Amino acid sequence: METGTERRKGKRIVIQRGTTALGENITPREGQTSIQDAFDVFVSIKEAENVKPRTKSEYYIQYRYFVEWLEEYHPEVVQVQDISTSLIRTYINHLAYEKEKNERIPQRNEKLNHQKGLSPYTINIRIRFLKCWFNVLVKEKYVLDSPVKNVKLMKVDIDMKDPLTEDEIRSLLQQPNQRQYAQYRDYVMMMLFIDSGMRVQEVSAFDVEDIDINTRCVHLPASKNKNRKSRVIPLSVEVIRLLHDLITESRQHFDSKAIFVSNFGERLTPDGIRTNIKKYARRAGLRKTVSPHAFRRFYAKYSALNGMDLFSLQRILGHADITTTRRYIQLNSEDLIQQHNQYTPLTNVLKRTKRVK
């Protein structure tokens, strides 16, 4: 009589899986790959996925930081397969405790007295790049496993940023000399920031065709949005009028589809916009850091204080996650006291108590 064991005698026993559920071989590629070649593969794949130029540019920046550190401290590591988890952690510790802040910008370095250690926020940007890079290399079988897989992001303290006040906004708006074209353009731009909460990249890419005068809305296509989703941003009557006047004046001098252009008719860049806003902040004597993003935080906070619901605010700001929207609404003690005084349930309780008497 034949037993089950005899029937299986001599047959190969499969224990480890050598294929994925779809039958794809998961054996890593043979041979070694240089770090540069591995990065080139990564960029090529991301280009095929149609990542935005800004994202691709950031890949090169973060890659350069990592490779420069390797060349200085670990020149023996030349193959991507030689990058280990311990090496990655050594790199992170270097960034956190040894790297000089702003060492590429001498004037800032002098101000910081050669302080060492980058912020956890900055370090997390570099960790995320490494995770993204090695995840692609694992999928493409250049490495068996990611050395960054078990590396956690650094914990970041959530500081309460002091947003611009209404008085500070009024002071900023008083600075541009509206008799000059460029400064009138900047005045209109600041009004747009305040009224819409748009990102600086979106304002830079803002074209005449994006405005619907009749509905008083900005229709931002997905290509101009950070999360690649189109969105509609309502505008006030005043800002629509200002934009219409600016467009009419610009067309007398320049043939450009861009709304915000220089004196030469060239589209303003995000860096150019930031520089102009800082100039007005200095004129106004503001000690806070004033940037296009400060206007965005101002819009979020005061829209919420004025009664806009969180979900509408999320859609206007273009946040994929409502948690991000919540972080934008930072109320100080004065705001909380005002809100408490306006909405405390004790007010109604006391009113009813007086009626009973």
Side-chain angles (χ1 to χ4, degrees):
M1 183 176 177
E2 190 179 72
T3 65
T5 303
E6 289 170 336
R7 285 198 302 269
R8 296 193 298 269
K9 190 174 182 180
K11 291 187 177 182
R12 184 168 64 91
I13 300 174
V14 178
I15 299 175
Q16 297 275 354
R17 291 189 71 194
T19 59
T20 65
L22 297 177
E24 183 183 357
N25 197 316
I26 63 170
T27 305
R29 297 171 188 263
E30 294 183 1
Q32 299 286 299
T33 308
S34 71
I35 293 173
Q36 182 63 57
D37 287 346
F39 178 71
D40 291 341
V41 167
F42 166 73
V43 171
S44 176
I45 290 170
K46 288 299 179 181
E47 286 176 337
E49 294 174 359
N50 196 28
V51 297
K52 289 192 173 185
R54 184 183 175 197
T55 303
K56 179 182 170 182
S57 175
E58 188 64 25
Y59 291 152
Y60 277 96
I61 293 171
Q62 300 305 326
Y63 171 74
R64 188 182 75 244
Y65 287 144
F66 181 61
V67 168
E68 286 178 352
W69 174 78
L70 281 178
E71 290 173 349
E72 182 175 356
Y73 295 96
H74 295 276
E76 74 282 0
V77 178
V78 293
Q79 309 294 342
V80 74
Q81 289 83 2
D82 296 332
I83 298 175
S84 63
T85 300
S86 62
L87 184 71
I88 296 291
R89 289 202 169 104
T90 301
Y91 173 59
I92 294 171
N93 286 333
H94 168 79
L95 298 176
Y97 305 110
E98 300 173 18
K99 179 78 171 175
E100 286 193 1
K101 294 182 178 179
N102 297 307
E103 63 181 17
R104 295 176 184 273
I105 311 174
Q107 60 270 29
R108 289 189 185 178
N109 203 30
E110 290 175 8
K111 187 182 291 187
L112 291 170
N113 295 321
H114 298 283
Q115 292 180 18
K116 293 188 176 182
L118 304 183
S119 71
Y121 176 82
T122 301
I123 296 172
N124 284 344
I125 292 174
R126 304 195 184 183
I127 295 174
R128 287 189 181 98
F129 159 71
L130 292 172
K131 283 180 176 290
C132 182
W133 179 22
F134 277 96
N135 285 343
V136 169
L137 295 181
V138 170
K139 289 179 182 177
E140 296 297 316
K141 309 182 197 67
Y142 282 91
V143 294
L144 183 60
D145 202 4
S146 169
V148 205
K149 182 173 69 176
N150 295 324
V151 175
K152 294 182 179 180
L153 297 176
M154 297 191 76
K155 294 187 180 298
V156 179
D157 294 333
I158 302 177
D159 293 326
M160 294 291 286
K161 294 184 178 179
D162 192 12
L164 293 170
T165 65
E166 291 179 333
D167 286 339
E168 288 168 337
I169 289 290
R170 291 189 192 98
S171 180
L172 280 169
L173 291 174
Q174 290 170 0
Q175 302 314 310
N177 179 359
Q178 296 185 45
R179 291 189 297 273
Q180 296 184 15
Y181 171 78
Q183 296 194 46
Y184 172 68
R185 173 210 63 207
D186 292 341
Y187 172 79
V188 176
M189 185 188 303
M190 287 194 289
M191 290 286 282
L192 176 65
F193 274 125
I194 296 164
D195 192 41
S196 67
M198 289 172 67
R199 300 179 176 95
V200 64
Q201 291 83 5
E202 295 166 349
V203 170
S204 173
F206 196 19
D207 291 332
V208 175
E209 63 186 20
D210 298 330
I211 303 177
D212 188 333
I213 299 292
N214 295 325
T215 61
R216 301 205 316 268
C217 287
V218 174
H219 293 266
L220 277 185
S223 60
K224 296 181 182 179
N225 241 320
K226 184 177 180 180
N227 59 8
R228 295 199 161 183
K229 291 182 180 179
S230 61
R231 81 181 196 270
V232 176
I233 306 172
L235 296 178
S236 65
V237 174
E238 175 65 13
V239 169
I240 283 289
R241 182 188 66 78
L242 287 169
L243 288 170
H244 179 268
D245 292 348
L246 178 64
I247 292 167
T248 302
E249 186 172 339
S250 297
R251 280 179 170 171
Q252 296 174 10
H253 308 287
F254 313 115
D255 181 19
S256 174
K257 65 178 183 179
I259 291 180
F260 298 108
V261 296
S262 69
N263 296 60
F264 303 100
E266 299 172 343
R267 184 188 297 275
L268 284 185
T269 64
D271 282 343
I273 294 172
R274 292 186 186 99
T275 299
N276 290 345
I277 288 176
K278 287 179 181 178
K279 175 181 66 178
Y280 297 123
R282 286 195 298 271
R283 285 188 193 175
L286 301 184
R287 295 185 178 182
K288 294 179 181 176
T289 300
V290 180
S291 66
H293 209 73
F295 287 112
R296 188 165 161 85
R297 288 195 299 270
F298 174 85
Y299 173 82
K301 173 183 173 178
Y302 284 94
S303 294
L305 286 176
N306 290 336
M308 182 183 292
D309 69 90
L310 202 57
F311 294 102
S312 297
L313 184 57
Q314 177 192 4
R315 290 191 62 180
I316 291 174
L317 292 174
H319 288 152
D321 188 347
I322 202 166
T323 305
T324 307
T325 311
R326 288 195 182 101
R327 284 202 296 267
Y328 273 62
I329 306 170
Q330 297 182 353
L331 306 181
N332 57 29
S333 300
E334 188 176 325
D335 298 321
L336 293 174
I337 292 170
Q338 183 180 346
Q339 290 291 297
H340 171 269
N341 292 341
Q342 184 175 351
Y343 294 108
T344 174
L346 183 60
T347 303
N348 289 332
V349 172
L350 292 176
K351 284 180 181 178
R352 289 192 177 186
T353 302
K354 289 178 181 178
R355 289 193 195 121
V356 171
K357 289 181 179 179

